[in-house]
Amino acid sequence: MWNMYLPIAGHSVNILLIFGLGGLVGLLSGIFGVGGGFLMTPLLIMFGIPPTVAAASDSNQIVGASTSGTFAHYRLGNVDFKMGFLLLIGGVAGGTLGVEVIRILRATGNADFLIKITYVLMLGFVGFYMFLESLQGLKKTKAEVVVEEKPKKESTYAKIIGMLPWQIYFDKSRVKLSILMPLILGVFVGILAAIMGVGGGFIMVPVMVYLLRMPMHVVVGTSLFQILFTCVNVTIMQAHSNHTVDFVLALILLIGSSLGAQFGTRISKKLNGDQLKIILASLVLIVMVKMLLGLLLEPAVLVSFVGGH
Amino acid sequence: MMKKILISVIMFIAGLFLITGTVYSAENITFHVSPELVKIGIQFNGITLHVSGTIPSDCEAVVRIIGHSQNLNLKKKGKAMGLLWMNLGKIEIKGVPDIMLVYPSKALEQLSKNDKTTWKKLGIGFESLEDTAEVLPESENKSKIFKEFIKLEASIDLYASIPGALTYGDVSGSVKSFKAEIKLPSNVPHDGFKAEVYAVKDGKIAAKDVKAVKVKLIGIPAKISSLAFNHGTLYGVIAVLIAILAGIIVGVVFKESGGAH
């Protein structure tokens, strides 16, 4: 009774299961401003959806979830549209460049090895850094509430970005930066996202926090806004070239994930920046460990269909 | 004189039969498949295909579901630098069916376990596919790759060998009845397949008969599939617009219920 046939995936699924899966991933998306593709796609493959259909339909559902999330964050005043657009322009350029890079890498034969290693190293580095940094932040807020206010020494990084031309003020993020910064960092994330085959939320969020120095709550809203555009592009491209978008699957997922994203946004509001960062860092580390185990343990079947990660 | 010659010819033919055994053909098998058209609607979750009929009473039956031949590109996993498991290049397997379900009788199930050579020679099971399929590049270990390929297809229910699902009924005269209930998975290929019945005697195929089964998408799946494959870009744009709309609706509903503020 609860089964539904997915015409593009060519497979029937339990609606409640897929709805629940969407809800869970939407929750994470609303809390942290990440797309959730890193979680959803492997889970869908586990339920028998072909890898190419799982990835493309996931993009389709992220469009819905990130619309809902962006909408909720916009009402809370957490979306920096100016910053978002600049990152997006950089991201599109970087993504195009990244696709070319991956084509060259594939021709040399060792692409998959490089992708996996980049993945593990990036996730490991970002996860550990965020975890330690937010742990210190949490300790500090508990212990040194009164003794703060020492004049902060300006770091070399701050000096360098202060010298770049075309400085403008970003109201929502309350930072003054050169427009080159989001553009260049957008390109960097775009390249990495294309190489790693993910939406980029996991890299974009730390980049916004640490390199653009944006407040965590604005980072989440702005990241969701950017992911929305990236996934609109991917969905249309996949539907046009590969016919791999299963709309029925995406619709069930997105009803679940849109609801999840709303609850996620509420939870996000109740947690402070450091708490958010430490939970996200733990998630990143869990994914990293899972990938590392995948590399170290012998798989059950030694061949796989083309299209998965 | 003529009568003597006639009797001799008849006796010679009868003798031949005694030496070579009974010769059977497709006419010695009668069988029925239900349904002959598998309709895939929005609530399709696989289907049981009923195959029943008669074979010569001195034979054993195998029912086999076999799809169209296809060429598949696969990724091969292996150890890089003696430590890390990852995709190490692509391989192509040519000439393998897109679905293959084998339902042997109990006796033939035993044969497939105890006398693998005879079973393989029959050309009914997965093992025999290895001889007809091609694995590229040729430098690959065909046998090893093939075993992994069968495991991969079995993991998505498209290749299966089900023991004990074929049963015999009454014997009447020179024939006996059989039936098999075949569980077709929901990911059955859309381009149809063949239902085959084999009568096996003394380690050889005595007779074989085939019926085609069609598969058709109906209702919503048919409409979505047609739009996705014939008007891909439009389908993508509609999918995106509905997703955005759904996201906004959820957002508005939550706002009105006093949610996010």
Side-chain angles (χ1 to χ4, degrees):
Chain A
M1 167 184 188
W2 290 107
N3 281 299
M4 191 178 259
Y5 185 76
L6 308 173
I8 307 298
H11 203 284
S12 86
V13 286
N14 183 304
I15 302 174
L16 295 180
L17 189 77
I18 298 293
F19 180 78
L21 187 66
L24 177 76
V25 176
L27 193 74
L28 295 177
S29 171
I31 299 177
F32 305 116
V34 293
F38 73 101
L39 265 179
M40 185 83 92
T41 309
L43 286 172
L44 288 175
I45 295 170
M46 218 172 77
F47 292 133
I49 311 291
T52 46
V53 178
S57 311
D58 189 26
S59 293
N60 190 185
Q61 80 81 23
I62 293 172
V63 170
S66 53
T67 302
S68 164
T70 307
F71 197 69
H73 279 281
Y74 168 70
R75 287 204 309 267
L76 296 170
N78 286 344
V79 184
D80 189 333
F81 288 104
K82 207 194 286 181
M83 187 75 90
F85 272 120
L86 288 170
L87 285 167
L88 193 65
I89 296 167
V92 170
T96 318
L97 205 65
V99 170
E100 286 306 310
V101 171
I102 201 78
R103 193 171 294 164
I104 296 164
L105 282 178
R106 281 201 196 286
T108 61
N110 266 333
D112 282 321
F113 179 75
L114 274 166
I115 292 169
K116 293 254 161 128
I117 292 296
T118 313
Y119 230 116
V120 171
L121 290 179
M122 278 297 294
L123 291 178
F125 175 73
V126 168
F128 273 114
Y129 185 80
M130 263 181 109
F131 192 88
L132 293 176
E133 198 261 356
S134 43
L135 199 65
Q136 278 174 350
L138 280 176
K139 279 182 189 164
K140 209 188 262 177
T141 44
K142 273 183 193 162
E144 303 172 26
V145 185
V146 197
V147 209
E148 262 296 331
E149 296 307 314
K150 275 183 198 166
K152 272 187 185 168
K153 210 180 112 188
E154 206 176 7
S155 68
T156 325
Y157 174 72
K159 275 184 202 157
I160 293 169
I161 62 168
M163 288 191 310
L164 290 169
W166 303 308
Q167 298 272 338
I168 52 168
Y169 186 70
F170 294 87
D171 312 340
K172 291 277 180 197
S173 304
R174 284 182 237 119
V175 286
K176 198 181 174 199
L177 281 173
S178 159
I179 59 167
L180 288 178
M181 281 298 291
L183 280 176
I184 293 168
L185 290 171
V187 171
F188 164 72
V189 174
I191 292 175
L192 275 180
I195 292 177
M196 291 159 71
V198 291
F202 258 105
I203 321 165
M204 188 57 98
V205 169
V207 160
M208 287 185 191
V209 174
Y210 297 112
L211 300 180
L212 295 176
R213 312 245 160 125
M214 291 162 64
M216 186 64 189
H217 289 99
V218 182
V219 165
V220 175
T222 311
S223 167
L224 280 174
F225 167 72
Q226 205 213 229
I227 286 167
L228 167 62
F229 281 88
T230 315
C231 287
V232 164
N233 182 36
V234 171
T235 306
I236 296 177
M237 293 290 285
Q238 292 281 18
H240 170 76
S241 331
N242 302 323
H243 312 291
T244 44
V245 176
D246 195 306
F247 177 63
V248 178
L249 172 64
L251 194 65
I252 308 171
L253 284 172
L254 85 85
I255 294 171
S257 65
S258 305
L259 289 171
Q262 290 292 331
F263 285 107
T265 310
R266 291 181 187 190
I267 296 172
S268 163
K269 212 178 137 197
K270 285 185 182 140
L271 298 168
N272 72 34
D274 283 322
Q275 285 169 329
L276 275 178
K277 274 191 258 175
I278 209 159
I279 304 173
L280 180 59
S282 310
L283 254 172
V284 172
L285 288 175
I286 290 170
V287 175
M288 190 273 287
V289 169
K290 195 197 154 277
M291 287 209 64
L292 201 60
L293 287 177
L295 287 173
L296 293 173
L297 304 175
E298 183 173 349
V301 183
L302 295 177
V303 291
S304 64
F305 294 108
V306 174
H309 284 301
Chain B
M1 183 66 183
M2 279 297 285
K3 203 176 173 184
K4 267 187 180 175
I5 292 171
L6 194 66
I7 290 170
S8 310
V9 169
I10 290 171
M11 283 188 70
F12 176 73
I13 293 171
L16 265 182
F17 267 92
L18 280 174
I19 295 163
T20 57
T22 323
V23 176
Y24 293 124
S25 67
E27 283 124 47
N28 296 95
I29 299 176
T30 57
F31 82 102
H32 175 72
V33 183
S34 169
E36 285 179 350
L37 172 66
V38 175
K39 290 179 187 166
I40 299 183
I42 194 74
Q43 284 199 308
F44 181 76
N45 185 27
I47 192 174
T48 305
L49 200 69
H50 300 273
V51 178
S52 57
T54 58
I55 55 161
S57 55
D58 54 354
C59 292
E60 288 292 332
V62 181
V63 172
R64 186 169 84 159
I65 298 301
I66 192 152
H68 293 275
S69 177
Q70 62 174 349
N71 301 336
L72 269 181
N73 285 310
L74 299 172
K75 287 193 276 194
K76 187 184 77 170
K77 291 176 197 287
K79 253 186 178 181
M81 302 191 305
L83 181 70
L84 305 172
W85 287 94
M86 52 183 57
N87 298 319
L88 294 179
K90 281 182 185 166
I91 41 171
E92 191 182 4
I93 296 195
K94 287 184 166 181
V96 283
D98 51 14
I99 184 168
M100 184 165 170
L101 310 173
V102 184
Y103 286 70
S105 69
K106 263 185 197 154
L108 288 175
E109 167 66 16
Q110 284 303 317
L111 178 82
S112 72
K113 282 181 188 157
N114 302 333
D115 185 357
K116 289 195 163 80
T117 321
T118 308
W119 174 248
K120 193 175 177 185
K121 268 188 195 159
L122 283 173
I124 301 173
F126 304 129
E127 301 83 351
S128 57
L129 275 184
E130 194 182 326
D131 296 333
T132 51
E134 196 182 344
V135 174
L136 294 173
E138 280 173 1
S139 55
E140 291 293 343
N141 181 339
K142 188 177 176 183
S143 174
K144 190 181 163 196
I145 294 284
F146 207 79
K147 273 195 189 105
E148 295 299 321
F149 161 73
I150 301 287
K151 269 200 250 173
L152 181 69
E153 290 284 358
S155 73
I156 55 167
D157 303 326
L158 287 176
Y159 277 33
S161 182
I162 320 280
L166 186 146
T167 52
Y168 292 121
D170 300 333
V171 178
S172 99
S174 61
V175 296
K176 64 179 171 187
S177 65
F178 70 90
K179 67 172 181 182
E181 292 195 342
I182 291 161
K183 302 266 181 227
L184 281 181
S186 70
N187 52 343
V188 58
H190 294 173
D191 55 353
F193 53 85
K194 287 185 283 186
E196 301 172 332
V197 174
Y198 292 87
V200 178
K201 193 185 171 194
D202 301 330
K204 283 182 184 144
I205 293 169
K208 172 193 172 183
D209 199 11
V210 184
K211 280 190 167 63
V213 178
K214 286 181 182 160
V215 177
K216 193 183 173 194
L217 286 174
I218 56 163
I220 296 170
K223 289 195 177 86
I224 290 180
S225 181
S226 153
L227 187 64
F229 285 96
N230 301 327
H231 310 279
T233 314
L234 176 69
Y235 173 81
V237 172
I238 293 173
V240 160
L241 288 178
I242 294 180
I244 291 176
L245 197 69
I248 292 174
I249 290 171
V250 172
V252 170
V253 167
F254 267 74
K255 190 187 175 189
E256 281 172 0
S257 67
H261 282 288

